[in-house]
Amino acid sequence: MNIHNVSLTISAVKPNQYPKTDFPDLAFAGRSNVGKSSLINKLLNRKSLARVSAKPGKTATINFYNIDSCINFVDLPGYGFAKVSKEEKRKWGQMIETYLHTRDTLSQVILLVDSRHEPTSDDKLMLSFIREVCPRAVVVATKFDKLKASQRDESIKTIINVLNLSGDDIIIPFSAVSGLGVEEFWSYVEEIVLDDGGTDDE
């Protein structure tokens, strides 16, 4: 996919701040420090569009990125960071849940998991939310370059088993360093998201 114009539209915290667009949203969810910002930057071939923080738990807003006025990338706040207060976690959880259940143009939530570790209970909970609003699960296994070649097949099998992924679901190994998974991701977007017009009527 040839990308020409990319911009951060808004950092929102409530529905009345969401951009009024009629093209599909692709949202990215995952634990703090799982690599969402690095993924977005790599997919868009930009070095610092999405800010990569050295401190997990910094993204406390829903960030909307306009991609050629044909799709929005939506960066959701990371979850599972222990040093964030319970009140802050509750607020972020409510923010994410409100977005998932009120955004009419939401096409898919992409779940990011760290390929080096077994998915956590938070990841499984997030996937259950995703299944409420999306027809399939799409999982990106990040930091795949950090695995030895002998560990890679086992990592994918573990993610599939722990998250109970089915044949309709999609899993994409990804590396922001090598670019592994970029082409596969955009093939998914072009063949499924944009061909479908972006949304599924319930």
Side-chain angles (χ1 to χ4, degrees):
M1 183 165 173
N2 294 319
I3 299 167
H4 303 288
N5 297 305
V6 177
S7 61
L8 173 63
T9 307
I10 193 169
S11 296
V13 295
K14 49 191 176 182
N16 64 4
Q17 297 173 326
Y18 301 164
K20 306 293 190 291
T21 52
D22 57 4
F23 41 83
D25 281 10
L26 259 189
F28 298 87
R31 286 175 59 82
S32 298
N33 214 28
V34 74
K36 281 193 280 92
S37 297
S38 297
L39 170 81
I40 290 170
N41 287 332
K42 190 68 177 181
L43 289 173
L44 300 176
N45 197 27
R46 302 294 194 274
K47 286 188 176 179
S48 56
L49 178 72
R51 287 171 300 213
V52 180
S53 175
K55 295 181 179 179
K58 290 290 283 186
T59 304
T61 55
I62 299 175
N63 297 327
F64 290 81
Y65 299 92
N66 182 316
I67 318 301
D68 281 338
S69 293
C70 69
I71 195 167
N72 285 317
F73 274 11
V74 184
D75 186 5
L76 301 174
Y79 54 80
F81 186 51
K83 292 185 181 179
V84 173
S85 70
K86 286 183 179 179
E87 175 59 22
E88 196 72 9
K89 287 179 184 177
R90 185 197 63 77
K91 188 167 70 176
W92 292 4
Q94 194 171 42
M95 191 192 308
I96 293 171
E97 201 166 347
T98 298
Y99 168 78
L100 294 180
H101 288 102
T102 63
R103 184 65 168 170
D104 291 338
T105 54
L106 175 61
S107 174
Q108 180 67 49
V109 184
I110 312 291
L111 177 64
L112 278 68
V113 297
D114 189 327
S115 63
R116 300 170 298 173
H117 309 292
E118 185 174 303
T120 66
S121 57
D122 285 335
D123 293 326
K124 289 189 276 189
L125 180 61
M126 187 69 228
L127 187 60
S128 70
F129 288 143
I130 292 172
R131 290 202 185 279
E132 289 178 10
V133 296
C134 298
R136 65 173 57 83
V138 179
V139 178
V140 171
T142 64
K143 308 185 183 183
F144 215 65
D145 57 285
K146 297 183 182 294
L147 293 175
K148 296 177 182 176
S150 59
Q151 299 173 311
R152 293 178 179 180
D153 284 348
E154 193 59 36
S155 168
I156 295 299
K157 286 178 186 175
T158 298
I159 293 168
I160 290 170
N161 290 335
V162 172
L163 295 179
N164 196 26
L165 301 181
S166 71
D168 291 333
D169 298 326
I170 296 169
I171 182 167
I172 302 174
F174 191 89
S175 167
V177 175
S178 70
L180 174 72
V182 171
E183 193 172 324
E184 187 177 352
F185 184 91
W186 282 116
S187 292
Y188 153 74
V189 170
E190 290 175 337
E191 292 170 18
I192 297 178
V193 178
L194 297 181
D195 275 1
D196 284 353
T199 56
D200 293 90
D201 294 327
E202 294 292 327

